[in-house]
């Protein structure tokens, strides 16, 4: 059933040993297709651990090139790859770890014009974008495409992590929240500083990207307790981890009882072009 080569048995031995994973779980990982939006601070550790875990296909989308200022935290990239597209650099890192992974490197912006077309090819989405416009776009697109979303965010020493699958009914007939149930809409540009403006502790990107990847792997294998319905808030300065219960909001404009968002048109600007970008 699981049908591994000798090299695969050896490579994934420490996974297969876990009774919650085993050969069946490892096979699910090897059959899975994961989309990583952003090849930056979060997308870097996510891509590396997804590759190490043996994910069959990793799609990665980002329009940026590797810059010297990225290397303090974006660990998929290296000094000798400055100037290379981030997705090509990430693809090299992924293949360096695990040549068996199929990488779909998309050197472009993730925006409202391509979101649904890209997402449909994947089983689950990891959001490692660095701006609110993209974050809300991914939430809406994943809801419409009915794909689970594991969304991580980071600023300064603080991290946040959630799993959203509001399209899926719970046993009680309700459903978990989407990102908009908690945050409703993007703050006006400039209200919340970006990492470029406020700074970010590089190692916290590793913490959050690794936790995010753990949740992605759990969702693929269907093991443990889904983070859906909870929000993890992490304060790296005080080393405090808090898990907050979050519920679906019946007034949510996306997944509520009377939704006002029924497609991705609100993510297009008045010229009909898209206004969201993933920088990572
Ligand atoms: Zn919602």
């Amino acid at each position: 059933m699981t049908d591994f080569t000798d090299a695969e048995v050896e490579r994934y031995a420490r996974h297969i040993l876990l009774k919650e994973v085993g050969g069946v779980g490892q096979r699910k990982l090897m059959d899975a297709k994961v989309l990583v939006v952003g090849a930056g601070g979060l997308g870097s550790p996510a891509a590396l651990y997804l590759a190490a875990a043996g994910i069959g296909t990793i799609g990665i989308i980002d329009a940026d090139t590797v810059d010297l200022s990225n290397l303090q935290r974006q660990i998929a990239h290296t000094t000798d790859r400055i100037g290379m597209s981030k997705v090509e650099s990430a693809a090299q890192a992924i293949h360096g770890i695990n040549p068996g992974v199929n990488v779909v490197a998309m050197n472009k912006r993730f925006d409202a014009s391509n979101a649904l077309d890209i997402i449909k090819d994947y089983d689950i989405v990891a959001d490692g974008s660095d701006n609110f416009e993209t974050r809300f776009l991914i939430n809406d697109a994943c809801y419409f495409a009915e794909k689970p979303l594991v969304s991580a965010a980071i600023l300064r020493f603080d991290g946040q992590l959630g799993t959203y699958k509001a399209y899926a009914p719970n046993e009680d007939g309700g459903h978990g929240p989407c990102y908009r149930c908690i945050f409703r809409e993007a703050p006006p540009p400039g209200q919340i500083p970006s990492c470029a403006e406020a700074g970010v502790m590089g190692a916290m990107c590793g913490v959050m990207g690794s936790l995010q990847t753990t949740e992605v792997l759990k969702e693929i294998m269907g093991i443990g307790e889904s983070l859906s319905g909870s929000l993890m808030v992490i304060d790296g300065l005080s080393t405090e981890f808090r898990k907050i219960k979050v519920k679906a909001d019946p007034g949510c404009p996306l997944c509520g009882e009377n939704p006002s968002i029924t497609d991705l048109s609100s993510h297009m600007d008045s010229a009909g072009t898209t206004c969201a970008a993933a920088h990572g």
Side-chain angles (χ1 to χ4, degrees):
M1 176 178 60
T2 46
D3 199 24
F4 297 112
T5 65
D6 290 348
E8 286 167 346
V9 170
E10 190 172 349
R11 180 183 282 271
Y12 303 118
R14 305 300 186 278
H15 266 171
I16 294 169
L17 275 173
L18 296 167
K19 72 172 169 40
E20 294 83 353
V21 177
V24 172
Q26 186 60 44
R27 175 50 62 191
K28 286 182 183 173
L29 299 179
M30 292 163 72
D31 288 341
K33 297 177 178 178
V34 179
L35 176 66
V36 179
V37 181
L42 293 161
S44 284
L48 299 186
Y49 273 117
L50 291 168
I55 293 296
T57 297
I58 300 173
I60 187 154
I61 180 163
D62 197 307
D64 279 355
T65 53
V66 178
D67 184 86
L68 178 59
S69 67
N70 301 147
L71 301 181
Q72 165 258 15
R73 65 200 175 285
Q74 300 184 15
I75 57 169
H77 311 305
T78 55
T79 304
D80 65 346
R81 297 204 288 266
I82 288 171
M84 185 183 289
S85 80
K86 283 191 182 176
V87 292
E88 172 56 28
S89 171
Q92 290 189 14
I94 289 168
H95 281 144
I97 292 170
N98 196 339
V101 175
N102 173 37
V103 181
V104 182
M106 292 167 274
N107 183 20
K108 57 186 172 186
R109 291 161 27 143
F110 183 88
D111 63 32
S113 73
N114 59 27
L116 291 171
D117 201 44
I118 291 170
I119 285 177
K120 73 169 169 32
D121 292 333
Y122 295 88
D123 303 313
I124 184 165
V125 178
D127 176 9
S129 66
D130 69 346
N131 65 90
F132 285 103
E133 291 79 9
T134 306
R135 202 162 285 286
F136 281 87
L137 169 63
I138 295 170
N139 176 68
D140 297 356
C142 285
Y143 179 73
F144 292 131
E146 302 193 350
K147 305 286 183 176
L149 165 64
V150 183
S151 183
I154 187 160
L155 188 65
R156 304 185 74 249
F157 298 90
D158 301 325
Q160 207 177 69
L161 179 70
T163 295
Y164 305 101
K165 35 186 186 180
Y167 57 86
N170 293 335
E171 313 83 73
D172 63 6
H175 61 79
C178 78
Y179 188 79
R180 279 187 193 276
C181 290
I182 305 165
F183 300 105
R184 193 50 60 102
E185 61 186 24
Q191 190 181 316
I192 309 265
S194 67
C195 289
E197 292 157 350
V200 59
M201 173 65 91
M204 279 299 292
C205 297
V207 171
M208 297 311 299
S210 301
L211 279 175
Q212 181 179 27
T213 307
T214 303
E215 295 307 317
V216 168
L217 301 181
K218 281 168 57 188
E219 292 291 333
I220 291 168
M221 294 186 285
I223 64 170
E225 192 180 320
S226 174
L227 192 58
S228 173
S230 300
L231 185 69
M232 276 299 302
V233 180
I234 294 162
D235 178 341
L237 266 188
S238 59
T239 322
E240 279 184 303
F241 287 54
R242 281 186 301 147
K243 191 175 175 186
I244 302 162
K245 286 265 171 245
V246 286
K247 284 188 178 150
D249 175 3
C252 175
L254 181 71
C255 74
E257 287 161 8
N258 291 299
S260 56
I261 300 168
T262 55
D263 57 30
L264 298 181
S265 58
S266 66
H267 296 278
M268 309 269 188
D269 66 22
S270 54
T273 54
T274 56
C275 51
H279 297 299

